[in-house]
Amino acid sequence: MAKLGVNIDHVATLRQARREIDPNPVKAAKIAVRNGADSIVCHLREDRRHIQDDDVVRIRKVVRKPLNLEMAIDPQIIRIALKVRPDYAMFVPERREEVTTEGGLDVVKHFQRVKRAAKRLSDKGIKVSVFIDPKVSQVQRAKDAGARIVELHTGGYANARTVSSRARHLQQIKKAAVFARGLGLTVHAGHGLKYHNARAVARIKEIDELNIGHAIISEAVFSGLAAAVRRMKDIVA
Ligand code: PXP
């Protein structure tokens, strides 16, 4: 089975809704690690809609598990990554108007940009990961560009509406994972995975780690809500 990277972006989404100090994503990262997370993932977006620069610095300082920093290939964000030195820098495509990352980075199209950015980070000892659609052509170009890790986009699988479409997407993920491993790459996968559909991906033996965020943070709201209400009731009643 696979390792689990916990993406804590949406703890910060909740905090930014009020621009307060709670809930603190650094505390969330610590709790995730205490409960089995193998790595912490966060996305420092250009628009800073959830994770802030200081969160990344603090997570890097206090969390004793690998930090996987998701980022666009943007000069300012690359400068921050070079300073913070996460264990992994994961390149993703980013559009300001999107609600979440919409697809894999097209490494075939953006090969030279990916290669240049990968070199800058690799030269400082940061392992470069590229988030791509599960296609052999993308895996090959990610390897050629200097990536050590590919994260395979599982959104197509997670959003599939029929059993046959889901099976087809799973097969594509498996094929890309086998190809990537054959090239000596480490394989991660993620996006859109939920409690009911993560296991089938985790069972693909070539996949080393799944990165999951929204489902875990959503579940945490309801796992914790009853106790949170009771605690406040005790105070005011
Ligand atoms: N992997 C990548 C590259 C992502 O962009 C995201 C979302 O930030 C995730 C994994 C986690 O996706 P989800 O929040 O749907 O579990």
Side-chain angles (χ1 to χ4, degrees):
M1 294 296 272
K3 288 188 237 158
L4 175 65
V6 176
N7 180 314
I8 42 115
D9 290 348
H10 295 305
V11 176
T13 301
L14 194 53
R15 176 192 61 192
Q16 295 309 108
R18 284 286 183 93
R19 300 212 158 71
E20 297 210 6
I21 55 169
D22 288 315
N24 184 343
V26 182
K27 183 171 171 183
K30 285 187 189 163
I31 293 172
V33 167
R34 274 207 301 278
N35 288 280
D38 298 292
S39 70
I40 294 298
V41 189
C42 63
H43 186 173
L44 186 66
R45 281 184 166 267
E46 292 170 81
D47 65 8
R48 307 299 198 272
R49 69 175 69 160
H50 39 51
I51 293 293
Q52 306 296 305
D53 301 43
D54 192 43
D55 295 327
V56 182
V57 171
R58 285 167 53 232
I59 289 169
R60 181 69 191 147
K61 262 197 193 132
V62 306
V63 175
R64 298 276 160 251
K65 285 281 178 182
L67 170 61
N68 188 352
L69 181 63
E70 218 181 304
M71 54 192 274
I73 301 181
D74 167 85
Q76 192 218 11
I77 305 281
I78 289 178
R79 270 197 300 280
I80 293 168
L82 288 169
K83 250 197 214 156
V84 172
R85 294 194 183 211
D87 299 272
Y88 317 129
M90 185 197 339
F91 295 153
V92 296
E94 199 176 296
R95 289 194 310 120
R96 274 182 190 244
E97 56 283 17
E98 71 192 359
V99 174
T100 182
T101 312
E102 284 169 350
L105 184 65
D106 188 345
V107 197
V108 175
K109 189 166 164 195
H110 301 293
F111 180 74
Q112 289 301 338
R113 274 182 71 212
V114 177
K115 188 175 172 186
R116 272 196 302 274
K119 180 165 182 348
R120 288 190 69 194
L121 292 155
S122 303
D123 284 351
K124 290 278 185 261
I126 300 164
K127 284 190 187 141
V128 171
S129 169
V130 185
F131 181 58
I132 53 172
D133 289 339
K135 291 183 182 157
V136 160
S137 54
Q138 294 292 339
V139 173
Q140 181 65 60
R141 288 316 257 167
K143 163 83 180 171
D144 297 341
R148 302 267 299 275
I149 304 166
V150 283
E151 176 160 327
L152 302 176
H153 189 1
T154 52
Y157 159 78
N159 295 327
R161 300 229 166 158
T162 62
V163 173
S164 62
S165 163
R166 200 170 308 122
R168 207 171 45 248
H169 281 289
L170 196 61
Q171 224 15 64
Q172 280 167 4
I173 294 168
K174 166 90 182 159
K175 187 176 164 196
V178 169
F179 184 71
R181 274 294 277 272
L183 294 178
L185 294 164
T186 298
V187 187
H188 294 175
H191 209 282
L193 294 175
K194 311 274 180 219
Y195 288 86
H196 68 274
N197 62 18
R199 180 164 289 156
V201 184
R203 279 202 175 126
I204 297 175
K205 68 176 191 310
E206 290 78 11
I207 293 180
D208 186 58
E209 183 162 318
L210 299 188
N211 290 327
I212 305 181
H214 191 266
I216 294 173
I217 305 307
S218 303
E219 171 62 20
V221 170
F222 290 115
S223 304
L225 190 57
V229 171
R230 278 199 303 273
R231 193 169 153 215
M232 190 58 85
K233 176 79 178 171
D234 283 349
I235 289 169
V236 303

